[in-house]
Amino acid sequence: MSILKIFCTIILTACITNGNESGFCEISNECTKDVETGSAQNRFTGKRYILYDVNPAEGFNLRRDVYIRVAVFLKRLIEKDKEFQWQLVLPPWGKLYHWQSKNIGSQERLPWSTFFDITSLQQYIPVIEMYKFMEEYSQGREIQLDCLYILQNDEEMFKTGKFEDKNELVDCDHDSLRYHKLGQHLYSGPFWGYYNITVRNVKCLKFHGMAYDLSQNLMPMQYRSVMFDHMEIALHDEYGSREYWRARRSMRYNFELYDIAENYRKTFLNSTNEDANTKRPINWIEEKSRRNAKGGPYLAVHLRRRDFVIAHKASVPTIMDTALQLQKNMDKLGLSLLFVATDAEQNEFEELKSYLPQYKVMKFVPSNYVINKFKDGGVAIIDQIICSYARYFIGTHESTFTFRIQEDREIIGFSSKTTFNKLCKTNQNCKVDGFWSIVW
């Protein structure tokens, strides 16, 4: 080891041991360049980490939308701030409302690689899995984040209907916080189910505005890691823009999920990418605008039941009305294969089939391997992939599950007329709401 490296190592060790409360101290550039240590070197580099979480009640597909908000925010931040190396820490997936399968092992703390291709995400922004962040951020087992902002709506705006940008620190109501004080500068909390993560500062932020407006709260000279909770409150910076769609296109699924869906399509739905003209480049960056995707010879429907039957009873049809609408479209298109993606109970699915005896009605049933490896979230994605390659798709009004399928079909290159269709309350012609076409 050179004399310079020995000297720098001594300074780094002293700085870590005796440094100020924020954990930063002055050190020469030569030391940060030449000292080849793990966390010690990382402490004095320009690496900064953004973490986030959302309302626990939010579902899988809304959380995917929140990711896009954060990704576009980080992309803009990186373009404007060249001083620091910004990275987004991907929040592990936990047990959600629709993830109710039993005897398949834990559905807590699932990494993003279970569902998505990390390399594809990294081609848009620098992202890192939580377990990788924990290895990189601290050599010890305990992880202490620097600052947590809890985003809160301004309820007065919703009462008056007068909305304006707001980014205001307010006193926290500690009785209602999910985070609990352990000491003068230390809080515990849910932190995606990890019990070894704490945070030094908790601040409540009354916020209304675009996600990028949160950049003023980062304070990278003071904080190395900043977390935002209730990130669903922040709005899209560029919803529907080219940048939005670049972020969305980067969200390629785990490639094994594509393979499983492709094999199912070929085996049960007589559908291949060659025949359906749906072949895509391996790299999403190489995708180009087109509207000539044909799709496999089947109609796909997303039939949302369970909570929607009550929460959206004004728009959710009965099983019989659903069958009548599907029959009308199947006959119009001359199709005999129907694929159903649904959270309905098995008796409702059997009822639907009973009304459609002239068609082959299918749904994906995962093998033990698939359900145990990819869990309920992976099975839902397989359903979405199969729907996204259909000749014609009909969705459920106001369902984020449907929205994600429509986005995939826009990316693949289907005609909008085959994509933005929905089940109606009754078997009558109903108006299709406005939709966001892809921007290249």
Side-chain angles (χ1 to χ4, degrees):
M1 181 182 289
S2 67
I3 294 175
L4 174 61
K5 288 183 178 179
I6 294 173
F7 173 72
C8 289
T9 301
I10 293 171
I11 293 177
L12 285 167
T13 303
C15 190
I16 294 170
T17 305
N18 304 312
N20 60 31
E21 185 179 346
S22 66
F24 294 89
C25 54
E26 295 294 329
I27 191 163
S28 68
N29 289 333
E30 287 79 6
C31 285
T32 59
K33 290 178 183 176
D34 293 322
V35 177
E36 297 173 355
T37 63
S39 63
Q41 184 185 25
N42 187 47
R43 181 180 291 270
F44 302 100
T45 65
K47 283 191 175 182
R48 297 294 182 270
Y49 303 91
I50 295 177
L51 305 89
Y52 75 95
D53 204 353
V54 301
N55 179 356
E58 299 294 356
F60 186 58
N61 290 289
L62 186 281
R63 290 168 186 259
R64 289 168 58 183
D65 183 75
V66 173
Y67 167 81
I68 295 178
R69 303 176 205 184
V70 183
V72 173
F73 158 31
L74 192 72
K75 182 73 180 297
R76 291 184 62 190
L77 182 64
I78 291 170
E79 290 171 349
K80 293 189 177 184
D81 183 354
K82 305 296 185 183
E83 184 177 356
F84 299 99
Q85 301 167 36
W86 295 98
Q87 292 194 79
L88 177 62
V89 181
L90 297 169
W93 299 95
K95 185 170 174 57
L96 304 177
Y97 169 77
H98 279 91
W99 295 3
Q100 298 184 7
S101 292
K102 309 295 183 184
N103 305 317
I104 62 169
S106 173
Q107 299 203 68
E108 304 276 355
R109 299 185 296 278
L110 299 177
W112 275 59
S113 59
T114 306
F115 309 124
F116 298 96
D117 180 58
I118 301 302
T119 302
S120 289
L121 297 178
Q122 290 172 335
Q123 287 180 300
Y124 184 69
I125 56 165
V127 300
I128 183 172
E129 293 270 28
M130 178 63 72
Y131 68 90
K132 289 283 190 181
F133 162 73
M134 296 172 76
E135 292 172 2
E136 184 175 293
Y137 187 75
S138 174
Q139 284 187 320
R141 187 174 178 277
E142 300 297 321
I143 306 296
Q144 289 189 356
L145 306 178
D146 289 325
C147 187
L148 163 65
Y149 291 98
I150 302 174
L151 305 190
Q152 300 177 350
N153 283 313
D154 187 337
E155 299 300 335
E156 193 63 28
M157 288 187 189
F158 288 90
K159 290 178 183 177
T160 63
K162 296 178 180 179
F163 294 94
E164 58 185 12
D165 289 348
K166 177 163 286 193
N167 192 326
E168 176 187 343
L169 287 174
V170 296
D171 292 335
C172 293
D173 180 3
H174 289 280
D175 291 335
S176 61
L177 285 184
R178 296 197 296 158
Y179 303 89
H180 308 287
K181 204 167 189 178
L182 298 176
Q184 186 176 2
H185 294 289
L186 202 62
Y187 293 79
S188 66
F191 296 117
W192 313 279
Y194 289 98
Y195 298 103
N196 61 329
I197 300 180
T198 54
V199 63
R200 295 187 180 93
N201 298 285
V202 173
K203 302 179 181 182
C204 291
L205 192 67
K206 192 172 286 187
F207 184 81
H208 183 78
M210 306 302 179
Y212 185 74
D213 295 338
L214 292 168
S215 60
Q216 62 189 283
N217 305 100
L218 293 173
M219 295 187 284
M221 294 300 292
Q222 183 176 354
Y223 301 136
R224 189 159 61 109
S225 57
V226 173
M227 175 181 168
F228 297 100
D229 198 0
H230 285 282
M231 192 64 188
E232 75 280 358
I233 288 176
L235 304 174
H236 279 284
D237 286 277
E238 300 188 44
Y239 186 75
S241 70
R242 178 177 181 272
E243 204 59 53
Y244 168 92
W245 281 102
R246 279 179 56 80
R248 177 62 179 83
R249 286 164 50 210
S250 75
M251 297 184 75
R252 288 282 185 95
Y253 303 121
N254 179 315
F255 277 91
E256 190 174 351
L257 296 176
Y258 284 114
D259 289 342
I260 294 167
E262 186 172 348
N263 183 63
Y264 182 90
R265 288 166 47 214
K266 183 177 180 180
T267 304
F268 297 104
L269 298 170
N270 193 28
S271 172
T272 65
N273 287 326
E274 290 72 22
D275 292 339
N277 195 25
T278 50
K279 195 170 180 61
R280 302 168 68 186
I282 294 176
N283 190 329
W284 65 267
I285 294 176
E286 297 175 2
E287 291 176 319
K288 291 181 172 56
S289 173
R290 69 188 188 112
R291 288 288 181 185
N292 60 351
K294 181 180 178 183
Y298 61 98
L299 184 147
V301 60
H302 171 223
L303 176 59
R304 180 74 176 267
R305 301 295 291 172
R306 292 195 186 180
D307 55 327
F308 261 47
V309 174
I310 297 173
H312 296 267
K313 59 184 178 181
S315 60
V316 174
T318 64
I319 298 296
M320 178 179 286
D321 278 325
T322 297
L324 290 171
Q325 293 173 57
L326 293 174
Q327 178 181 348
K328 182 168 67 174
N329 282 283
M330 294 282 285
D331 291 345
K332 180 180 177 181
L333 296 165
L335 299 174
S336 60
L337 294 174
L338 172 65
F339 178 79
V340 182
T342 184
D343 62 349
E345 299 292 345
Q346 184 62 25
N347 65 301
E348 289 187 313
F349 178 69
E350 295 298 333
E351 181 186 353
L352 178 69
K353 288 177 63 176
S354 72
Y355 295 133
L356 301 167
Q358 65 273 48
Y359 309 113
K360 186 176 181 181
V361 182
M362 307 287 297
K363 73 173 181 176
F364 177 74
V365 179
S367 66
N368 287 335
Y369 167 80
V370 170
I371 189 66
N372 278 281
K373 180 172 183 179
F374 296 106
K375 313 298 183 184
D376 288 327
V379 173
I381 287 174
I382 292 169
D383 269 345
Q384 289 176 314
I385 295 172
I386 296 170
C387 287
S388 68
Y389 283 84
R391 183 76 47 86
Y392 195 87
F393 173 68
I394 302 176
T396 292
H397 182 60
E398 294 187 345
S399 167
T400 53
F401 189 102
T402 284
F403 295 158
R404 301 294 85 85
I405 294 169
Q406 291 169 335
E407 289 169 349
D408 280 332
R409 291 177 63 85
E410 282 287 286
I411 293 167
I412 294 169
F414 282 94
S415 162
S416 298
K417 292 180 180 179
T418 69
T419 294
F420 295 98
N421 309 287
K422 66 179 183 180
L423 294 170
C424 304
K425 179 64 177 177
T426 59
N427 186 28
Q428 302 293 328
N429 290 329
C430 59
K431 183 179 179 182
V432 175
D433 300 325
F435 53 86
W436 294 95
S437 297
I438 189 169
V439 177
W440 293 89

